[in-house]
Amino acid sequence: MNKTEVTKQILAIGVIPVVRATTAEEAMRAIDAILEGGISVLEITMTVPNAFSLIEQVTGRFGSDALVGAGTVLDAETAKSCIASGAQFIVSPALNLDTIAYCREQNVVVMPGALTPTEVVQAWNAGADFVKVFPAGAVGGPAYLKSLKAPLPQIELVPTGGVSLKTAADFIRAGAAALGVGTDLVDVKAESSVITERAKQFVEIVRQARQT
């Protein structure tokens, strides 16, 4: 899948589950449940033990049925290892210009983290494909995102942190290109059926919110 196709799939699904777990087995169980719920985009964070191997395992097992990204990528060296493992997009909680530059060289979608208008614009001007607004919930949630989008309508923003079943629709209506969703969806302690049902709910919420 090329960069354009990756971007289109992220926009089409509109939900990026952030997979954090204490073991790779725990993460894989959650991934199975997420895919069963109709979300084919996944962000496997570097905080998962053996994250590189897990990325390889997921991409090998699901192929084109799953779009696998790497999260919590803090530098270009880590991005390099993630891409070598099969990651098709790179996400960071912070702004690292070297990481953006490397991903651009490799023609890989990159989503750096930013919070202030200055950081958001800096990330976009450096070549980010999306800008992760983090931690969105801690600084005003949908209202803050809407304030950012007013002067910056051209920037594809992905709020993360504070995105839940209750707030998802408001974030979409505020102008989010997609939503980064953590424990409200990827609760690795929950039953698989619960994760699957939540995935279905998020997909439907995004679909309906985009129509209003």
Side-chain angles (χ1 to χ4, degrees):
M1 192 177 293
N2 63 36
K3 186 174 180 178
T4 299
E5 291 169 336
V6 170
T7 300
K8 285 181 177 178
Q9 186 162 336
I10 290 171
L11 290 171
I13 298 294
V15 182
I16 306 170
V18 181
V19 180
R20 295 187 187 280
T22 54
T23 67
E25 292 75 22
E26 193 176 61
M28 185 61 84
R29 185 179 68 83
I31 288 167
D32 282 332
I34 291 164
L35 292 170
E36 182 70 21
I39 297 177
S40 58
V41 178
L42 305 162
E43 177 191 329
I44 297 172
T45 68
M46 291 297 98
T47 57
V48 178
N50 303 309
F52 299 131
S53 296
L54 180 60
I55 290 170
E56 287 182 356
Q57 186 180 349
V58 175
T59 54
R61 178 177 168 189
F62 296 105
S64 60
D65 291 334
L67 175 59
V68 182
T72 323
V73 177
L74 304 181
D75 52 59
E77 274 303 308
T78 304
K80 182 177 181 179
S81 297
C82 291
I83 293 167
S85 299
Q88 292 181 283
F89 64 96
I90 299 295
V91 185
S92 177
L95 176 58
N96 182 278
L97 297 177
D98 289 341
T99 301
I100 297 174
Y102 180 76
C103 290
R104 282 176 59 81
E105 287 173 9
Q106 300 301 310
N107 207 32
V108 170
V109 168
V110 61
M111 188 186 304
L115 188 61
T116 67
T118 298
E119 292 170 345
V120 169
V121 172
Q122 187 178 10
W124 190 252
N125 287 344
D129 300 284
F130 299 88
V131 179
K132 172 179 173 174
V133 180
F134 176 80
V139 293
Y144 181 69
L145 192 81
K146 186 175 181 179
S147 295
L148 283 177
K149 283 294 287 188
L152 305 170
Q154 77 281 15
I155 300 181
E156 301 282 23
L157 300 178
V158 179
T160 308
V163 178
S164 67
L165 289 170
K166 292 181 179 179
T167 63
D170 288 337
F171 273 115
I172 291 294
R173 287 191 287 262
L179 306 173
V181 188
T183 52
D184 204 60
L185 170 55
V186 196
D187 181 356
V188 294
K189 303 303 181 186
E191 294 291 330
S192 294
S193 60
V194 173
I195 298 173
T196 295
E197 181 57 32
R198 288 181 185 174
K200 291 177 180 178
Q201 289 177 309
F202 270 105
V203 169
E204 182 61 17
I205 288 169
V206 169
R207 188 190 67 79
Q208 290 188 10
R210 284 174 168 173
Q211 293 176 348
T212 58

mmCIF file of all heavy atoms in Angstrom, residues 61-116:
data_model
loop_
_atom_site.group_PDB
_atom_site.id
_atom_site.type_symbol
_atom_site.label_atom_id
_atom_site.label_comp_id
_atom_site.label_asym_id
_atom_site.label_seq_id
_atom_site.Cartn_x
_atom_site.Cartn_y
_atom_site.Cartn_z
ATOM 1 N N ARG A 61 0.562 -11.702 9.361
ATOM 2 C CA ARG A 61 -0.655 -12.490 9.565
ATOM 3 C C ARG A 61 -1.852 -11.932 8.791
ATOM 4 O O ARG A 61 -2.625 -12.679 8.195
ATOM 5 C CB ARG A 61 -0.974 -12.536 11.051
ATOM 6 C CG ARG A 61 -2.242 -13.297 11.397
ATOM 7 C CD ARG A 61 -2.435 -13.354 12.899
ATOM 8 N NE ARG A 61 -3.770 -13.818 13.256
ATOM 9 C CZ ARG A 61 -4.263 -13.798 14.476
ATOM 10 N NH1 ARG A 61 -3.514 -13.354 15.476
ATOM 11 N NH2 ARG A 61 -5.484 -14.219 14.721
ATOM 12 N N PHE A 62 -1.986 -10.607 8.785
ATOM 13 C CA PHE A 62 -3.187 -10.010 8.215
ATOM 14 C C PHE A 62 -2.981 -9.380 6.835
ATOM 15 O O PHE A 62 -3.949 -9.118 6.125
ATOM 16 C CB PHE A 62 -3.756 -8.953 9.169
ATOM 17 C CG PHE A 62 -4.231 -9.515 10.475
ATOM 18 C CD1 PHE A 62 -3.493 -9.330 11.631
ATOM 19 C CD2 PHE A 62 -5.400 -10.255 10.534
ATOM 20 C CE1 PHE A 62 -3.923 -9.863 12.835
ATOM 21 C CE2 PHE A 62 -5.844 -10.795 11.735
ATOM 22 C CZ PHE A 62 -5.096 -10.590 12.884
ATOM 23 N N GLY A 63 -1.734 -9.124 6.464
ATOM 24 C CA GLY A 63 -1.462 -8.558 5.144
ATOM 25 C C GLY A 63 -2.230 -7.270 4.900
ATOM 26 O O GLY A 63 -2.254 -6.378 5.736
ATOM 27 N N SER A 64 -2.899 -7.196 3.758
ATOM 28 C CA SER A 64 -3.615 -5.980 3.381
ATOM 29 C C SER A 64 -4.909 -5.781 4.158
ATOM 30 O O SER A 64 -5.561 -4.745 4.023
ATOM 31 C CB SER A 64 -3.926 -5.999 1.880
ATOM 32 O OG SER A 64 -4.726 -7.130 1.562
ATOM 33 N N ASP A 65 -5.286 -6.755 4.996
ATOM 34 C CA ASP A 65 -6.506 -6.610 5.784
ATOM 35 C C ASP A 65 -6.317 -5.684 6.988
ATOM 36 O O ASP A 65 -7.300 -5.297 7.630
ATOM 37 C CB ASP A 65 -6.994 -7.980 6.277
ATOM 38 C CG ASP A 65 -7.507 -8.847 5.146
ATOM 39 O OD1 ASP A 65 -7.944 -8.286 4.118
ATOM 40 O OD2 ASP A 65 -7.459 -10.077 5.282
ATOM 41 N N ALA A 66 -5.075 -5.375 7.306
ATOM 42 C CA ALA A 66 -4.789 -4.484 8.439
ATOM 43 C C ALA A 66 -3.730 -3.472 8.054
ATOM 44 O O ALA A 66 -2.688 -3.828 7.500
ATOM 45 C CB ALA A 66 -4.327 -5.290 9.651
ATOM 46 N N LEU A 67 -4.011 -2.217 8.336
ATOM 47 C CA LEU A 67 -3.046 -1.139 8.122
ATOM 48 C C LEU A 67 -2.357 -0.893 9.464
ATOM 49 O O LEU A 67 -2.974 -0.395 10.405
ATOM 50 C CB LEU A 67 -3.756 0.121 7.636
ATOM 51 C CG LEU A 67 -2.908 1.379 7.464
ATOM 52 C CD1 LEU A 67 -1.788 1.139 6.464
ATOM 53 C CD2 LEU A 67 -3.782 2.552 7.034
ATOM 54 N N VAL A 68 -1.101 -1.269 9.546
ATOM 55 C CA VAL A 68 -0.392 -1.253 10.825
ATOM 56 C C VAL A 68 0.569 -0.077 10.906
ATOM 57 O O VAL A 68 1.436 0.097 10.039
ATOM 58 C CB VAL A 68 0.385 -2.565 11.032
ATOM 59 C CG1 VAL A 68 1.092 -2.563 12.379
ATOM 60 C CG2 VAL A 68 -0.555 -3.765 10.925
ATOM 61 N N GLY A 69 0.395 0.721 11.944
ATOM 62 C CA GLY A 69 1.298 1.831 12.207
ATOM 63 C C GLY A 69 2.030 1.622 13.509
ATOM 64 O O GLY A 69 1.681 0.744 14.307
ATOM 65 N N ALA A 70 3.054 2.422 13.730
ATOM 66 C CA ALA A 70 3.828 2.373 14.969
ATOM 67 C C ALA A 70 3.615 3.664 15.743
ATOM 68 O O ALA A 70 3.645 4.749 15.157
ATOM 69 C CB ALA A 70 5.308 2.184 14.665
ATOM 70 N N GLY A 71 3.377 3.543 17.042
ATOM 71 C CA GLY A 71 3.140 4.720 17.865
ATOM 72 C C GLY A 71 4.206 4.916 18.930
ATOM 73 O O GLY A 71 5.034 4.035 19.174
ATOM 74 N N THR A 72 4.182 6.079 19.555
ATOM 75 C CA THR A 72 5.167 6.470 20.570
ATOM 76 C C THR A 72 6.579 6.402 19.994
ATOM 77 O O THR A 72 7.517 5.943 20.643
ATOM 78 C CB THR A 72 5.055 5.620 21.851
ATOM 79 O OG1 THR A 72 3.670 5.330 22.111
ATOM 80 C CG2 THR A 72 5.591 6.381 23.056
ATOM 81 N N VAL A 73 6.713 6.823 18.746
ATOM 82 C CA VAL A 73 8.013 6.842 18.062
ATOM 83 C C VAL A 73 8.646 8.209 18.327
ATOM 84 O O VAL A 73 8.136 9.234 17.885
ATOM 85 C CB VAL A 73 7.842 6.596 16.552
ATOM 86 C CG1 VAL A 73 9.188 6.688 15.846
ATOM 87 C CG2 VAL A 73 7.190 5.241 16.312
ATOM 88 N N LEU A 74 9.762 8.214 19.045
ATOM 89 C CA LEU A 74 10.332 9.470 19.526
ATOM 90 C C LEU A 74 11.505 9.985 18.716
ATOM 91 O O LEU A 74 11.941 11.130 18.912
ATOM 92 C CB LEU A 74 10.754 9.317 20.994
ATOM 93 C CG LEU A 74 9.649 8.866 21.960
ATOM 94 C CD1 LEU A 74 10.216 8.774 23.375
ATOM 95 C CD2 LEU A 74 8.463 9.821 21.913
ATOM 96 N N ASP A 75 12.049 9.156 17.800
ATOM 97 C CA ASP A 75 13.214 9.600 17.036
ATOM 98 C C ASP A 75 13.279 8.870 15.704
ATOM 99 O O ASP A 75 12.564 7.885 15.481
ATOM 100 C CB ASP A 75 14.504 9.383 17.837
ATOM 101 C CG ASP A 75 14.637 7.963 18.349
ATOM 102 O OD1 ASP A 75 14.640 7.019 17.525
ATOM 103 O OD2 ASP A 75 14.720 7.771 19.585
ATOM 104 N N ALA A 76 14.150 9.354 14.851
ATOM 105 C CA ALA A 76 14.258 8.797 13.501
ATOM 106 C C ALA A 76 14.781 7.372 13.499
ATOM 107 O O ALA A 76 14.383 6.555 12.660
ATOM 108 C CB ALA A 76 15.154 9.688 12.643
ATOM 109 N N GLU A 77 15.674 7.045 14.430
ATOM 110 C CA GLU A 77 16.211 5.681 14.486
ATOM 111 C C GLU A 77 15.121 4.666 14.787
ATOM 112 O O GLU A 77 15.062 3.590 14.186
ATOM 113 C CB GLU A 77 17.321 5.594 15.549
ATOM 114 C CG GLU A 77 18.691 5.982 15.051
ATOM 115 C CD GLU A 77 19.146 5.144 13.860
ATOM 116 O OE1 GLU A 77 19.103 3.895 13.950
ATOM 117 O OE2 GLU A 77 19.542 5.717 12.837
ATOM 118 N N THR A 78 14.238 5.028 15.718
ATOM 119 C CA THR A 78 13.124 4.130 16.030
ATOM 120 C C THR A 78 12.185 4.018 14.838
ATOM 121 O O THR A 78 11.699 2.926 14.515
ATOM 122 C CB THR A 78 12.362 4.641 17.264
ATOM 123 O OG1 THR A 78 13.272 4.783 18.358
ATOM 124 C CG2 THR A 78 11.258 3.666 17.666
ATOM 125 N N ALA A 79 11.938 5.147 14.171
ATOM 126 C CA ALA A 79 11.089 5.124 12.972
ATOM 127 C C ALA A 79 11.670 4.181 11.925
ATOM 128 O O ALA A 79 10.928 3.417 11.278
ATOM 129 C CB ALA A 79 10.950 6.529 12.407
ATOM 130 N N LYS A 80 12.987 4.218 11.773
ATOM 131 C CA LYS A 80 13.654 3.347 10.799
ATOM 132 C C LYS A 80 13.391 1.880 11.112
ATOM 133 O O LYS A 80 13.050 1.083 10.220
ATOM 134 C CB LYS A 80 15.163 3.629 10.811
ATOM 135 C CG LYS A 80 15.961 2.825 9.800
ATOM 136 C CD LYS A 80 17.437 3.224 9.836
ATOM 137 C CE LYS A 80 18.235 2.453 8.809
ATOM 138 N NZ LYS A 80 19.679 2.856 8.839
ATOM 139 N N SER A 81 13.502 1.507 12.390
ATOM 140 C CA SER A 81 13.281 0.116 12.797
ATOM 141 C C SER A 81 11.822 -0.283 12.614
ATOM 142 O O SER A 81 11.518 -1.416 12.230
ATOM 143 C CB SER A 81 13.705 -0.077 14.258
ATOM 144 O OG SER A 81 15.087 0.156 14.421
ATOM 145 N N CYS A 82 10.918 0.655 12.896
ATOM 146 C CA CYS A 82 9.487 0.379 12.735
ATOM 147 C C CYS A 82 9.139 0.121 11.275
ATOM 148 O O CYS A 82 8.410 -0.831 10.949
ATOM 149 C CB CYS A 82 8.659 1.548 13.254
ATOM 150 S SG CYS A 82 8.711 1.771 15.039
ATOM 151 N N ILE A 83 9.645 0.958 10.400
ATOM 152 C CA ILE A 83 9.370 0.823 8.973
ATOM 153 C C ILE A 83 9.964 -0.483 8.438
ATOM 154 O O ILE A 83 9.343 -1.195 7.647
ATOM 155 C CB ILE A 83 9.902 2.046 8.201
ATOM 156 C CG1 ILE A 83 9.098 3.298 8.602
ATOM 157 C CG2 ILE A 83 9.825 1.829 6.694
ATOM 158 C CD1 ILE A 83 9.720 4.609 8.157
ATOM 159 N N ALA A 84 11.171 -0.817 8.923
ATOM 160 C CA ALA A 84 11.800 -2.075 8.523
ATOM 161 C C ALA A 84 10.986 -3.278 8.980
ATOM 162 O O ALA A 84 11.003 -4.342 8.341
ATOM 163 C CB ALA A 84 13.208 -2.160 9.099
ATOM 164 N N SER A 85 10.239 -3.101 10.076
ATOM 165 C CA SER A 85 9.400 -4.183 10.611
ATOM 166 C C SER A 85 8.063 -4.292 9.894
ATOM 167 O O SER A 85 7.320 -5.252 10.119
ATOM 168 C CB SER A 85 9.170 -3.975 12.106
ATOM 169 O OG SER A 85 10.386 -3.995 12.824
ATOM 170 N N GLY A 86 7.749 -3.272 9.070
ATOM 171 C CA GLY A 86 6.513 -3.316 8.300
ATOM 172 C C GLY A 86 5.510 -2.231 8.605
ATOM 173 O O GLY A 86 4.422 -2.214 8.017
ATOM 174 N N ALA A 87 5.832 -1.330 9.524
ATOM 175 C CA ALA A 87 4.898 -0.250 9.850
ATOM 176 C C ALA A 87 4.669 0.638 8.631
ATOM 177 O O ALA A 87 5.616 1.017 7.944
ATOM 178 C CB ALA A 87 5.431 0.593 11.005
ATOM 179 N N GLN A 88 3.397 0.988 8.393
ATOM 180 C CA GLN A 88 3.047 1.786 7.217
ATOM 181 C C GLN A 88 2.722 3.230 7.551
ATOM 182 O O GLN A 88 2.480 4.030 6.652
ATOM 183 C CB GLN A 88 1.886 1.124 6.481
ATOM 184 C CG GLN A 88 2.280 -0.201 5.847
ATOM 185 C CD GLN A 88 1.133 -0.846 5.107
ATOM 186 O OE1 GLN A 88 0.241 -1.424 5.705
ATOM 187 N NE2 GLN A 88 1.133 -0.741 3.795
ATOM 188 N N PHE A 89 2.684 3.547 8.835
ATOM 189 C CA PHE A 89 2.626 4.940 9.249
ATOM 190 C C PHE A 89 3.255 5.072 10.622
ATOM 191 O O PHE A 89 3.323 4.108 11.384
ATOM 192 C CB PHE A 89 1.198 5.507 9.209
ATOM 193 C CG PHE A 89 0.208 4.872 10.148
ATOM 194 C CD1 PHE A 89 -0.070 5.439 11.393
ATOM 195 C CD2 PHE A 89 -0.481 3.727 9.774
ATOM 196 C CE1 PHE A 89 -0.992 4.862 12.244
ATOM 197 C CE2 PHE A 89 -1.420 3.143 10.621
ATOM 198 C CZ PHE A 89 -1.677 3.710 11.863
ATOM 199 N N ILE A 90 3.753 6.265 10.918
ATOM 200 C CA ILE A 90 4.510 6.528 12.142
ATOM 201 C C ILE A 90 3.810 7.628 12.933
ATOM 202 O O ILE A 90 3.487 8.688 12.387
ATOM 203 C CB ILE A 90 5.955 6.967 11.808
ATOM 204 C CG1 ILE A 90 6.689 5.869 11.030
ATOM 205 C CG2 ILE A 90 6.712 7.357 13.083
ATOM 206 C CD1 ILE A 90 6.916 4.572 11.792
ATOM 207 N N VAL A 91 3.596 7.355 14.229
ATOM 208 C CA VAL A 91 2.915 8.308 15.100
ATOM 209 C C VAL A 91 3.800 8.629 16.293
ATOM 210 O O VAL A 91 4.466 7.742 16.844
ATOM 211 C CB VAL A 91 1.572 7.737 15.603
ATOM 212 C CG1 VAL A 91 0.812 8.788 16.413
ATOM 213 C CG2 VAL A 91 0.728 7.237 14.447
ATOM 214 N N SER A 92 3.802 9.893 16.691
ATOM 215 C CA SER A 92 4.582 10.309 17.853
ATOM 216 C C SER A 92 3.745 11.212 18.752
ATOM 217 O O SER A 92 2.870 11.930 18.261
ATOM 218 C CB SER A 92 5.834 11.075 17.400
ATOM 219 O OG SER A 92 6.562 11.537 18.529
ATOM 220 N N PRO A 93 3.990 11.187 20.057
ATOM 221 C CA PRO A 93 3.293 12.120 20.942
ATOM 222 C C PRO A 93 3.896 13.514 20.910
ATOM 223 O O PRO A 93 3.330 14.457 21.479
ATOM 224 C CB PRO A 93 3.470 11.478 22.320
ATOM 225 C CG PRO A 93 4.776 10.752 22.218
ATOM 226 C CD PRO A 93 4.843 10.248 20.804
ATOM 227 N N ALA A 94 5.047 13.648 20.255
ATOM 228 C CA ALA A 94 5.773 14.920 20.264
ATOM 229 C C ALA A 94 6.282 15.251 18.867
ATOM 230 O O ALA A 94 6.173 14.457 17.938
ATOM 231 C CB ALA A 94 6.935 14.850 21.245
ATOM 232 N N LEU A 95 6.831 16.438 18.742
ATOM 233 C CA LEU A 95 7.326 16.929 17.452
ATOM 234 C C LEU A 95 8.832 16.725 17.354
ATOM 235 O O LEU A 95 9.607 17.313 18.114
ATOM 236 C CB LEU A 95 6.981 18.415 17.317
ATOM 237 C CG LEU A 95 7.496 19.145 16.078
ATOM 238 C CD1 LEU A 95 7.001 18.475 14.805
ATOM 239 C CD2 LEU A 95 7.071 20.605 16.117
ATOM 240 N N ASN A 96 9.242 15.848 16.439
ATOM 241 C CA ASN A 96 10.651 15.605 16.180
ATOM 242 C C ASN A 96 10.888 15.765 14.677
ATOM 243 O O ASN A 96 10.422 14.952 13.882
ATOM 244 C CB ASN A 96 11.051 14.209 16.658
ATOM 245 C CG ASN A 96 12.527 13.919 16.446
ATOM 246 O OD1 ASN A 96 12.944 13.554 15.349
ATOM 247 N ND2 ASN A 96 13.326 14.104 17.481
ATOM 248 N N LEU A 97 11.577 16.816 14.308
ATOM 249 C CA LEU A 97 11.724 17.149 12.892
ATOM 250 C C LEU A 97 12.527 16.109 12.119
ATOM 251 O O LEU A 97 12.259 15.863 10.942
ATOM 252 C CB LEU A 97 12.364 18.538 12.751
ATOM 253 C CG LEU A 97 11.550 19.709 13.328
ATOM 254 C CD1 LEU A 97 12.313 21.015 13.186
ATOM 255 C CD2 LEU A 97 10.181 19.804 12.663
ATOM 256 N N ASP A 98 13.489 15.478 12.787
ATOM 257 C CA ASP A 98 14.284 14.436 12.116
ATOM 258 C C ASP A 98 13.417 13.243 11.739
ATOM 259 O O ASP A 98 13.603 12.626 10.685
ATOM 260 C CB ASP A 98 15.435 13.979 13.013
ATOM 261 C CG ASP A 98 16.536 15.029 13.152
ATOM 262 O OD1 ASP A 98 16.585 15.939 12.297
ATOM 263 O OD2 ASP A 98 17.317 14.937 14.106
ATOM 264 N N THR A 99 12.466 12.913 12.608
ATOM 265 C CA THR A 99 11.563 11.793 12.322
ATOM 266 C C THR A 99 10.689 12.108 11.115
ATOM 267 O O THR A 99 10.491 11.256 10.236
ATOM 268 C CB THR A 99 10.683 11.491 13.549
ATOM 269 O OG1 THR A 99 11.526 11.172 14.658
ATOM 270 C CG2 THR A 99 9.745 10.323 13.272
ATOM 271 N N ILE A 100 10.174 13.331 11.064
ATOM 272 C CA ILE A 100 9.363 13.741 9.913
ATOM 273 C C ILE A 100 10.191 13.660 8.630
ATOM 274 O O ILE A 100 9.734 13.119 7.615
ATOM 275 C CB ILE A 100 8.814 15.171 10.105
ATOM 276 C CG1 ILE A 100 7.877 15.228 11.306
ATOM 277 C CG2 ILE A 100 8.083 15.637 8.837
ATOM 278 C CD1 ILE A 100 7.417 16.630 11.655
ATOM 279 N N ALA A 101 11.404 14.173 8.693
ATOM 280 C CA ALA A 101 12.275 14.177 7.513
ATOM 281 C C ALA A 101 12.568 12.763 7.045
ATOM 282 O O ALA A 101 12.539 12.477 5.831
ATOM 283 C CB ALA A 101 13.577 14.916 7.835
ATOM 284 N N TYR A 102 12.841 11.856 7.988
ATOM 285 C CA TYR A 102 13.144 10.473 7.603
ATOM 286 C C TYR A 102 11.933 9.810 6.953
ATOM 287 O O TYR A 102 12.065 9.131 5.919
ATOM 288 C CB TYR A 102 13.603 9.656 8.818
ATOM 289 C CG TYR A 102 13.921 8.232 8.449
ATOM 290 C CD1 TYR A 102 15.095 7.919 7.786
ATOM 291 C CD2 TYR A 102 13.011 7.208 8.713
ATOM 292 C CE1 TYR A 102 15.379 6.612 7.398
ATOM 293 C CE2 TYR A 102 13.287 5.898 8.329
ATOM 294 C CZ TYR A 102 14.472 5.614 7.670
ATOM 295 O OH TYR A 102 14.743 4.328 7.272
ATOM 296 N N CYS A 103 10.769 9.996 7.538
ATOM 297 C CA CYS A 103 9.558 9.390 6.972
ATOM 298 C C CYS A 103 9.265 9.931 5.577
ATOM 299 O O CYS A 103 8.832 9.190 4.690
ATOM 300 C CB CYS A 103 8.375 9.616 7.901
ATOM 301 S SG CYS A 103 8.452 8.676 9.442
ATOM 302 N N ARG A 104 9.518 11.208 5.375
ATOM 303 C CA ARG A 104 9.323 11.796 4.051
ATOM 304 C C ARG A 104 10.287 11.173 3.044
ATOM 305 O O ARG A 104 9.904 10.880 1.908
ATOM 306 C CB ARG A 104 9.503 13.315 4.105
ATOM 307 C CG ARG A 104 8.290 14.032 4.687
ATOM 308 C CD ARG A 104 8.528 15.527 4.818
ATOM 309 N NE ARG A 104 8.828 16.169 3.551
ATOM 310 C CZ ARG A 104 7.913 16.533 2.654
ATOM 311 N NH1 ARG A 104 6.636 16.311 2.877
ATOM 312 N NH2 ARG A 104 8.279 17.152 1.539
ATOM 313 N N GLU A 105 11.521 10.961 3.464
ATOM 314 C CA GLU A 105 12.508 10.316 2.589
ATOM 315 C C GLU A 105 12.047 8.907 2.184
ATOM 316 O O GLU A 105 12.256 8.464 1.049
ATOM 317 C CB GLU A 105 13.852 10.205 3.309
ATOM 318 C CG GLU A 105 14.604 11.519 3.462
ATOM 319 C CD GLU A 105 15.839 11.346 4.332
ATOM 320 O OE1 GLU A 105 16.189 10.180 4.652
ATOM 321 O OE2 GLU A 105 16.443 12.361 4.718
ATOM 322 N N GLN A 106 11.409 8.223 3.140
ATOM 323 C CA GLN A 106 10.980 6.844 2.910
ATOM 324 C C GLN A 106 9.580 6.757 2.291
ATOM 325 O O GLN A 106 9.088 5.665 2.022
ATOM 326 C CB GLN A 106 11.008 6.067 4.232
ATOM 327 C CG GLN A 106 12.371 5.999 4.888
ATOM 328 C CD GLN A 106 13.409 5.343 4.000
ATOM 329 O OE1 GLN A 106 13.174 4.266 3.466
ATOM 330 N NE2 GLN A 106 14.556 5.992 3.833
ATOM 331 N N ASN A 107 8.958 7.924 2.099
ATOM 332 C CA ASN A 107 7.596 7.994 1.538
ATOM 333 C C ASN A 107 6.597 7.238 2.422
ATOM 334 O O ASN A 107 5.749 6.488 1.941
ATOM 335 C CB ASN A 107 7.567 7.439 0.116
ATOM 336 C CG ASN A 107 6.447 8.053 -0.710
ATOM 337 O OD1 ASN A 107 6.075 9.213 -0.508
ATOM 338 N ND2 ASN A 107 5.902 7.291 -1.638
ATOM 339 N N VAL A 108 6.727 7.466 3.729
ATOM 340 C CA VAL A 108 5.870 6.829 4.729
ATOM 341 C C VAL A 108 5.061 7.911 5.451
ATOM 342 O O VAL A 108 5.601 8.962 5.812
ATOM 343 C CB VAL A 108 6.711 6.025 5.749
ATOM 344 C CG1 VAL A 108 5.867 5.561 6.927
ATOM 345 C CG2 VAL A 108 7.375 4.836 5.066
ATOM 346 N N VAL A 109 3.788 7.657 5.658
ATOM 347 C CA VAL A 109 2.914 8.603 6.357
ATOM 348 C C VAL A 109 3.424 8.837 7.775
ATOM 349 O O VAL A 109 3.751 7.892 8.499
ATOM 350 C CB VAL A 109 1.466 8.071 6.394
ATOM 351 C CG1 VAL A 109 0.603 8.891 7.359
ATOM 352 C CG2 VAL A 109 0.869 8.091 4.998
ATOM 353 N N VAL A 110 3.492 10.119 8.170
ATOM 354 C CA VAL A 110 3.985 10.461 9.508
ATOM 355 C C VAL A 110 2.999 11.392 10.204
ATOM 356 O O VAL A 110 2.444 12.307 9.592
ATOM 357 C CB VAL A 110 5.402 11.078 9.448
ATOM 358 C CG1 VAL A 110 5.426 12.373 8.635
ATOM 359 C CG2 VAL A 110 5.963 11.304 10.841
ATOM 360 N N MET A 111 2.784 11.126 11.488
ATOM 361 C CA MET A 111 1.817 11.866 12.287
ATOM 362 C C MET A 111 2.474 12.294 13.603
ATOM 363 O O MET A 111 2.350 11.618 14.623
ATOM 364 C CB MET A 111 0.598 10.971 12.566
ATOM 365 C CG MET A 111 -0.565 11.655 13.227
ATOM 366 S SD MET A 111 -1.892 10.467 13.659
ATOM 367 C CE MET A 111 -2.250 9.703 12.072
ATOM 368 N N PRO A 112 3.207 13.413 13.586
ATOM 369 C CA PRO A 112 3.840 13.876 14.819
ATOM 370 C C PRO A 112 2.827 14.493 15.775
ATOM 371 O O PRO A 112 1.748 14.918 15.364
ATOM 372 C CB PRO A 112 4.818 14.944 14.317
ATOM 373 C CG PRO A 112 4.162 15.474 13.082
ATOM 374 C CD PRO A 112 3.489 14.294 12.451
ATOM 375 N N GLY A 113 3.200 14.538 17.037
ATOM 376 C CA GLY A 113 2.343 15.154 18.035
ATOM 377 C C GLY A 113 2.638 16.628 18.184
ATOM 378 O O GLY A 113 3.775 17.077 18.034
ATOM 379 N N ALA A 114 1.599 17.396 18.463
ATOM 380 C CA ALA A 114 1.732 18.832 18.696
ATOM 381 C C ALA A 114 0.553 19.267 19.548
ATOM 382 O O ALA A 114 -0.460 18.571 19.623
ATOM 383 C CB ALA A 114 1.755 19.600 17.376
ATOM 384 N N LEU A 115 0.683 20.433 20.169
ATOM 385 C CA LEU A 115 -0.412 20.906 21.004
ATOM 386 C C LEU A 115 -0.768 22.360 20.711
ATOM 387 O O LEU A 115 -1.922 22.678 20.446
ATOM 388 C CB LEU A 115 -0.059 20.737 22.487
ATOM 389 C CG LEU A 115 -1.196 21.008 23.463
ATOM 390 C CD1 LEU A 115 -2.361 20.065 23.228
ATOM 391 C CD2 LEU A 115 -0.704 20.875 24.909
ATOM 392 N N THR A 116 0.240 23.220 20.710
ATOM 393 C CA THR A 116 -0.027 24.638 20.485
ATOM 394 C C THR A 116 -0.163 24.930 18.992
ATOM 395 O O THR A 116 0.310 24.158 18.150
ATOM 396 C CB THR A 116 1.111 25.497 21.048
ATOM 397 O OG1 THR A 116 2.306 25.248 20.274
ATOM 398 C CG2 THR A 116 1.381 25.169 22.506
#
